[in-house]
Amino acid sequence: QVQLVESGGGLVQAGGSLRLSCATSGRAFSTYAMAWFRQAPGKDREFVAGISWSGGRIYYADSVKGRFTISKDNGKNTVYLQMNSLKPEDTAVYYCAKSAVTYGSGSSSSRAYDLWGQGTQVTVSS
């Protein structure tokens, strides 16, 4: 059974950096768009960053643009989220997600994804 496993979360001071990883055992990883979402306590899950199956299209939520970078290593079946200049409002559980269709450009809607990781906690102290 294909799974997504996130890692790299933790506690960091404001202005610091973290890199999240999301690894999968799926052999068809390279054919899927991937994305990162996050959910803060008491709030809905929100889109953070997405990348198309080929890596040719990358897009971000306005709140993280210029600070976060998503990348995809098809050889390692892993998608990354590099987070710089972290702010307390970035505190949330971060989830990676796999697109429901192959060879897609991805979407900022959670409905476009059919497989989710268990989440990794990111806490940014002020």
Side-chain angles (χ1 to χ4, degrees):
Q1 184 176 356
V2 176
Q3 291 184 318
L4 300 177
V5 180
E6 299 105 335
S7 61
L11 173 64
V12 64
Q13 289 189 330
S17 298
L18 285 174
R19 188 176 82 153
L20 306 184
S21 299
C22 172
T24 176
S25 57
R27 281 183 262 180
F29 173 82
S30 63
T31 65
Y32 290 99
M34 301 291 292
W36 288 92
F37 288 77
R38 67 186 181 187
Q39 187 167 20
K43 295 188 177 181
D44 293 334
R45 188 171 299 189
E46 65 174 0
F47 170 78
V48 175
I51 186 167
S52 65
W53 74 274
S54 66
R57 177 179 179 242
I58 292 175
Y59 44 105
Y60 300 95
D62 288 342
S63 59
V64 307
K65 204 171 293 184
R67 300 187 298 121
F68 290 11
T69 302
I70 188 172
S71 60
K72 191 172 181 268
D73 187 335
N74 289 332
K76 294 183 178 180
N77 284 358
T78 301
V79 62
Y80 302 96
L81 185 68
Q82 177 67 44
M83 305 185 295
N84 298 328
S85 302
L86 282 161
K87 305 175 180 180
E89 51 264 43
D90 294 319
T91 295
V93 177
Y94 283 71
Y95 300 88
C96 67
K98 180 192 75 67
S99 173
V101 299
T102 54
Y103 302 110
S105 59
S107 171
S108 60
S109 171
S110 61
R111 291 174 293 180
Y113 301 88
D114 66 349
L115 182 65
W116 296 79
Q118 83 287 353
T120 185
Q121 176 71 47
V122 171
T123 303
V124 184
S125 63
S126 57

